[in-house]
Amino acid sequence: MGNLYRGQGACNSRSCKLTGFKDSEPELVYLVQRVSDPAMAKIGICEDSARNTRLKVHMRNGWEVVYTRSFAVGLHARLVEKAIKRLWFTERGWSNGAARGEDWSDGYTETVLLNDPARGEKWTQLTPLALWTDVMVEAERLGFDLDEQRAEASEG
């Protein structure tokens, strides 16, 4: 539970590391949204394989998958997610689900309201595309786009 309060996600245990997300394996960053009231979006990471069930679980819980981005190296996906959480919740000061006082569920430390007048004029209304642009900019800023292009070139 301490990981949640620190914004590190629910599953940072040894068993999850053995069975789920692996820094050395292909993984992906995803953005999901809920259009129910209040409408919100969530950034997350999961393994990029046929056996991955994370996105299916989100869909069963009312989320819609909006964008995904594969990374050949899972560590890159993890670092992009971490950079996005720092950007949204520390640098921009947006409230995540934990700060908003929501019940623990569905990765609430990674959620952002799409319409929140408390954020101020510049950020009051957010769209999934604007949030995903942050993801793509951070991946490029961290140099991972170039790494991914090199990996694809060496395979082809």
Side-chain angles (χ1 to χ4, degrees):
M1 195 60 128
N3 287 332
L4 284 174
Y5 294 117
R6 289 188 298 274
Q8 296 173 352
C11 195
N12 203 16
S13 71
R14 182 178 212 81
S15 64
C16 286
K17 289 182 188 247
L18 294 174
T19 61
F21 192 96
K22 293 182 177 61
D23 285 346
S24 61
E25 298 294 321
E27 310 291 345
L28 58 88
V29 174
Y30 60 83
L31 185 78
V32 293
Q33 74 171 352
R34 270 193 185 144
V35 293
S36 61
D37 192 27
M40 63 180 72
K42 174 191 177 326
I43 187 76
I45 55 176
C46 63
E47 65 181 312
D48 189 8
S49 75
R51 67 181 184 271
N52 173 25
T53 60
R54 185 71 181 137
L55 294 178
K56 291 176 187 168
V57 168
H58 280 316
M59 289 187 292
R60 278 195 306 269
N61 290 334
W63 294 96
E64 172 192 353
V65 178
V66 185
Y67 297 104
T68 62
R69 169 66 158 73
S70 296
F71 288 87
V73 178
L75 178 61
H76 294 173
R78 182 185 305 278
L79 292 173
V80 168
E81 181 198 41
K82 186 175 184 173
I84 289 299
K85 288 167 56 176
R86 184 180 58 249
L87 174 67
W88 292 352
F89 305 124
T90 303
E91 293 175 22
R92 292 181 182 162
W94 298 349
S95 296
N96 65 23
R100 293 189 304 266
E102 295 172 7
D103 290 333
W104 173 87
S105 65
D106 255 351
Y108 77 142
T109 60
E110 298 134 358
T111 63
V112 64
L113 294 176
L114 293 178
N115 181 12
D116 184 3
R119 278 194 299 257
E121 188 62 36
K122 184 176 179 182
W123 303 113
T124 300
Q125 292 276 13
L126 299 174
T127 65
L129 178 59
L131 297 172
W132 192 247
T133 300
D134 285 341
V135 172
M136 301 310 288
V137 167
E138 287 301 307
E140 185 175 337
R141 184 185 67 79
L142 292 167
F144 298 148
D145 281 344
L146 184 57
D147 289 347
E148 294 294 315
Q149 290 169 10
R150 285 184 188 138
E152 289 171 10
S154 69
E155 291 174 6

